[in-house]
Amino acid sequence: MATARKGRELFTILETSADTESTTVCDSQDAPLNLSADVKWFEIPYRKPDSDEEDGVREEEEEEEDGEGENGFTGTAAAAAEAADAASFIAGGGCNIILVTGSNGLKHDEDEYAEDCYYSTSTNCSDSNSNDSDIDFSDLEEEERRSFFSFEDDLDEDCTSPDFWGEPDQVISIEPFSAVSGPQHSLGDDADTRDYFRILFPDSLFEHMVEQTNKYALYRQRRSGKSDPHWHPTDVREMRAYVGLNILMGINQLPDIGMYWASDIFIGNAGFKKTMTARRFEKLTQYLQLCDRESEPVRGERGYDALFKVRPLLDVVESTMWDAYTPNRCLTIDKCAIVMNGRFSPTQYMPSKPLRKGLTVWMMCDSRSGYCHRAKIYIGKPGDDEEAATLGYRVVASLVRGLEGQFHHIFMDSFFTSVPLLQRLLREGLYACGPTHPGRKGYPEVLHPRNVGKLSQGEFYQCQRGNVVATVTRDVKVVSCLSTNSAPGIVGISPSRQQRESEGEGESDSMEGSGLSFGVPRPLPLLLYQENMRGVDLCDQLRDCYQVGRPCKKWWRYFLWFYVNLCIVNAYIILRESRGGTPPAGFNGKQFTQRHFRVRLAQQLIGDYQGARGMERAARKRHADSPIEYGHRLERMSERSRRCRNCTNKGLRHESVFGCKICNVHLCRGGCFSEFHK
């Protein structure tokens, strides 16, 4: 069907049907960028209406205004004939071109479509009312901060005018991506897991952790006025072993930290007992520190930094992550949540997320491998309403620094996508794609849900301004999208679940209740988004498989273990891509997975380190056949009685002044001596 209005046409609506002929599928050699080869796609040709046909339709509209339907389409036979002629213009495509009569040319009952629309018209989704969180920009120079906050400078004054958007018949220009990408290091084939981890988490960080931990222990003892008899300074070897034990705790997970040192043979871990005692592990956890607490500025003072406690870690890790892997063409920007049990003011409550309470981190990851190039931490909602309104704009501008002019393709979700942002990225040589809220400033008024009406599945409308293409379509729900890397009029059909399973991926499952539709034609921006908006999800999957560290009340510890875990994931990706699937030397398994990488890394960090109690246990094991022969004997240890070690291991409480001086333990007179030395 076709309609007209007394003025000129604003844009063209492109409508597709699912039953397209196989002859419309284009050659895979000319497939659109970033689209997988198994997606069948075809292009809808565009034809402007002839001037004679326009005049005829306008006369019909003046004569039969009362014949319009509820959607604003003319119901005359002549209009139907013209629509049939337009449909026949597309050879075998199963598509037709519909002309819009104006911004109010499509009408509908709002109550009818609201229940099927993903974005409700009653919800104000504009940037100015965003209540989401802020990120940390304290590491930026003043000039950079002004450029990130100057949202109005990048806003085209005409983007809200009716003449800004035009018909989707313009040719877009996409420059080819030719930059060198991938892992950047000089490691050879004999490199092992610790060498790859050292690229991202250098030894200088362990030395810094040792220095600040020892200083913080003295600082705490001076403040309390008491010395800690169970504390002695740590060193780099012990700190590496401590981190290695925390990595192993994510693989061998137990509900309580003391269970790793339990005497029960079915629960206790012999490797943990050999490395260090439970008390020593507890003391290292108590005094672990990354900054000089004595020089920390308080809130309100000059130089105050909300992330002061983790700033040394951020300065090093953010630089190493960026230098170790040059970004590929397709990148994903999204947020991830860190579960937290402590108290921290920027903690967010997210009822729609699996982690309802946690810390927010914005991440930019590779769309294929999941490698995280940058991560920015949320530190609190800004006090300025103008800054809060442009949060998504400033997040993306901060994450893409250094990519200007390299023609990367950025994929992001609806929180970030806006017309001013895409215009700025396009000027900087970056292409972008992502869904958006129809209430955003600059989004075409004619594509708002109240003007489009109720869409059928697979139907989509588009309008264009240069490289910027706005799309509204219905897949499972109505989705609005903006893009600068996809030509208008291209439709693709992804392989259905039954088709994938018939190729050997598994038995067929019921599609009811899955919330997904397969085999529905989708416009190119939505296809690209589905193919490439998975980088952060891949990184989260690798990171969440094995957590590092234990829950605590100190908020900065969550960021410490988050970045340690992130470095492990990135190191594993670098190793996998550098070696082409070949495992390190000495590995005898069939496939070198992330679990093998973590276990091997933890073992190399621990090495042959043994604490004082570990050496005692080793000596005790060597002399267990005849303890008296090697000088172990029961003798008086002190004037003050202490708990018997053997009874304590069995859960009993007995005290004695006797014991073994070589083992440096108190033991009861009787069978505890021989039983302990077995």
Side-chain angles (χ1 to χ4, degrees):
M1 294 179 293
T3 61
R5 64 182 179 89
K6 296 182 180 180
R8 64 178 182 82
E9 293 77 12
L10 285 181
F11 67 100
T12 301
I13 298 176
L14 303 175
E15 181 182 1
T16 80
S17 60
D19 52 349
T20 54
E21 299 292 339
S22 59
T23 57
T24 62
V25 178
C26 296
D27 189 2
S28 60
Q29 294 180 355
D30 299 327
L33 292 174
N34 314 322
L35 199 61
S36 60
D38 59 349
V39 176
K40 297 180 179 180
W41 66 278
F42 55 90
E43 184 173 358
I44 302 176
Y46 170 76
R47 183 188 68 170
K48 291 187 177 181
D50 298 334
S51 59
D52 295 336
E53 293 177 351
E54 290 184 8
D55 296 336
V57 174
R58 290 172 183 171
E59 292 175 3
E60 286 186 12
E61 182 183 7
E62 293 176 357
E63 294 175 359
E64 303 200 18
E65 290 180 350
D66 298 335
E68 291 189 5
E70 62 178 1
N71 287 333
F73 296 136
T74 56
T76 62
E82 185 177 354
D85 179 67
S88 63
F89 176 76
I90 304 175
C95 311
N96 59 346
I97 298 177
I98 304 175
L99 300 181
V100 173
T101 61
S103 60
N104 295 324
L106 295 176
K107 302 178 182 179
H108 76 293
D109 186 2
E110 294 187 7
D111 297 335
E112 180 181 358
Y113 97 95
E115 59 184 6
D116 296 319
C117 183
Y118 184 75
Y119 302 114
S120 176
T121 55
S122 62
T123 303
N124 189 350
C125 301
S126 63
D127 283 344
S128 59
N129 292 332
S130 175
N131 291 326
D132 288 319
S133 53
D134 195 8
I135 62 172
D136 174 34
F137 292 99
S138 58
D139 59 337
L140 303 180
E141 298 295 337
E142 188 64 28
E143 295 182 358
E144 293 177 328
R145 290 175 60 89
R146 287 196 297 267
S147 64
F148 291 151
F149 299 156
S150 58
F151 175 82
E152 296 296 335
D153 296 342
D154 294 299
L155 181 61
D156 194 337
E157 295 179 357
D158 298 332
C159 70
T160 58
S161 65
D163 297 332
F164 180 80
W165 295 98
E167 297 174 344
D169 59 348
Q170 307 171 37
V171 178
I172 68 171
S173 174
I174 300 179
E175 297 292 335
F177 176 79
S178 58
V180 178
S181 59
Q184 305 293 323
H185 59 81
S186 58
L187 298 178
D189 295 337
D190 57 343
D192 214 325
T193 54
R194 183 180 168 185
D195 299 318
Y196 289 96
F197 181 72
R198 190 183 288 115
I199 297 175
L200 301 161
F201 203 92
D203 293 337
S204 59
L205 270 180
F206 285 109
E207 297 172 359
H208 180 79
M209 292 170 64
V210 169
E211 178 185 357
Q212 297 302 327
T213 299
N214 291 332
K215 290 179 63 176
Y216 182 66
L218 297 177
Y219 169 73
R220 285 285 303 272
Q221 294 178 47
R222 285 198 305 267
R223 288 190 58 182
S224 62
K226 300 179 182 178
S227 62
D228 191 343
H230 303 293
W231 168 258
H232 59 83
T234 183
D235 55 17
V236 175
R237 291 184 64 234
E238 187 177 40
M239 186 59 66
R240 288 201 196 102
Y242 173 77
V243 175
L245 293 181
N246 277 278
I247 295 174
L248 291 175
M249 287 180 180
I251 298 173
N252 180 21
Q253 300 182 15
L254 294 176
D256 185 73
I257 194 172
M259 298 178 69
Y260 293 98
W261 287 268
S263 59
D264 191 332
I265 60 174
F266 297 103
I267 299 177
N269 191 303
F272 280 66
K273 298 176 184 178
K274 179 182 177 181
T275 303
M276 66 178 64
T277 64
R279 175 177 289 175
R280 182 58 179 173
F281 187 89
E282 178 185 350
K283 288 298 174 182
L284 288 174
T285 303
Q286 177 182 351
Y287 294 118
L288 180 64
Q289 198 61 238
L290 296 174
C291 66
D292 187 1
R293 293 294 301 275
E294 296 185 72
S295 61
E296 180 181 6
V298 298
R299 186 184 297 271
E301 289 185 359
R302 185 176 182 180
Y304 170 76
D305 184 6
L307 298 176
F308 180 83
K309 293 182 175 64
V310 292
R311 181 59 62 189
L313 174 70
L314 300 181
D315 293 341
V316 175
V317 173
E318 288 182 355
S319 176
T320 56
M321 289 195 308
W322 183 257
D323 297 336
Y325 195 108
T326 305
N328 289 314
R329 179 176 63 185
C330 298
L331 302 172
T332 303
I333 294 179
D334 203 353
K335 79 172 181 178
C336 73
I338 306 174
V339 62
M340 178 182 176
N341 297 328
R343 297 178 60 185
F344 187 44
S345 57
T347 303
Q348 284 188 301
Y349 177 70
M350 300 166 287
S352 61
K353 300 292 183 180
L355 301 176
R356 296 196 173 187
K357 182 183 178 182
L359 304 171
T360 299
V361 179
W362 306 107
M363 302 173 64
M364 183 177 69
C365 300
D366 186 84
S367 297
R368 298 299 177 184
S369 64
Y371 182 92
C372 178
H373 297 281
R374 276 200 178 121
K376 293 295 181 180
I377 300 174
Y378 153 74
I379 58 172
K381 184 177 178 180
D384 190 353
D385 294 338
E386 182 178 355
E387 293 184 11
T390 61
L391 173 61
Y393 181 93
R394 294 183 292 112
V395 168
V396 177
S398 174
L399 291 175
V400 300
R401 279 186 302 155
L403 299 178
E404 295 82 357
Q406 300 182 22
F407 310 113
H408 291 275
H409 293 246
I410 312 297
F411 296 88
M412 44 198 169
D413 66 4
S414 58
F415 176 75
F416 308 100
T417 312
S418 64
V419 175
L421 176 61
L422 265 63
Q423 288 178 323
R424 168 172 177 164
L425 295 178
L426 194 60
R427 287 196 299 269
E428 295 178 349
L430 299 172
Y431 304 102
C433 177
T436 186
H437 298 290
R440 286 272 168 87
K441 191 172 184 179
Y443 191 79
E445 182 72 20
V446 289
L447 295 187
H448 282 211
R450 62 178 178 271
N451 295 328
V452 173
K454 190 171 183 179
L455 304 176
S456 59
Q457 197 171 37
E459 182 183 6
F460 69 98
Y461 303 161
Q462 287 183 320
C463 53
Q464 185 179 2
R465 170 78 173 192
N467 263 47
V468 184
V469 177
T471 305
V472 60
T473 182
R474 178 182 175 87
D475 189 69
V476 176
K477 296 180 180 179
V478 176
V479 180
S480 300
C481 183
L482 289 171
S483 64
T484 57
N485 60 350
S486 55
I490 297 180
V491 178
I493 300 177
S494 300
S496 62
R497 178 180 297 180
Q498 290 88 343
Q499 181 178 350
R500 291 193 182 98
E501 292 171 350
S502 64
E503 295 175 357
E505 291 192 19
E507 301 179 356
S508 64
D509 298 327
S510 174
M511 294 181 64
E512 296 181 2
S514 63
L516 299 174
S517 61
F518 296 89
V520 176
R522 299 179 176 92
L524 181 58
L526 190 58
L527 287 173
L528 297 180
Y529 179 81
Q530 292 174 333
E531 287 287 326
N532 299 281
M533 187 62 186
R534 57 184 179 182
V536 177
D537 294 336
L538 287 175
C539 184
D540 286 344
Q541 290 175 5
L542 293 172
R543 184 176 54 84
D544 291 338
C545 287
Y546 309 101
Q547 293 292 339
V548 179
R550 305 290 298 187
C552 62
K553 294 183 179 180
K554 297 181 179 181
W555 62 268
W556 65 268
R557 296 279 179 90
Y558 291 93
F559 289 126
L560 166 63
W561 299 125
F562 168 79
Y563 275 96
V564 171
N565 205 356
L566 198 59
C567 289
I568 296 174
V569 171
N570 285 346
Y572 170 68
I573 294 173
I574 293 176
L575 179 144
R576 184 179 58 187
E577 295 193 5
S578 300
R579 304 182 68 92
T582 304
F587 179 74
N588 299 324
K590 295 182 178 179
Q591 185 178 6
F592 191 72
T593 63
Q594 185 192 188
R595 176 172 58 85
H596 297 118
F597 181 89
R598 288 176 179 265
V599 172
R600 195 179 181 97
L601 173 62
Q603 292 174 346
Q604 293 178 2
L605 288 175
I606 296 172
D608 57 351
Y609 175 80
Q610 291 184 4
R613 184 61 54 81
M615 291 184 288
E616 292 173 6
R617 290 181 183 272
R620 189 185 312 137
K621 184 176 181 180
R622 290 194 302 268
H623 309 325
D625 51 350
S626 179
I628 298 179
E629 180 181 350
Y630 293 94
H632 294 261
R633 59 178 57 88
L634 185 67
E635 53 188 318
R636 194 178 189 91
M637 294 284 293
S638 62
E639 297 296 331
R640 181 181 176 184
S641 63
R642 296 185 180 276
R643 294 184 63 175
C644 172
R645 178 60 59 82
N646 187 63
C647 295
T648 301
N649 293 339
K650 295 188 294 183
L652 304 176
R653 183 179 180 88
H654 293 146
E655 295 185 355
S656 174
V657 296
F658 295 93
C660 177
K661 288 189 176 181
I662 294 180
C663 298
N664 194 27
V665 293
H666 284 249
L667 297 168
C668 296
R669 301 179 67 179
C672 287
F673 175 81
S674 58
E675 185 178 349
F676 177 79
H677 285 87
K678 285 183 180 180

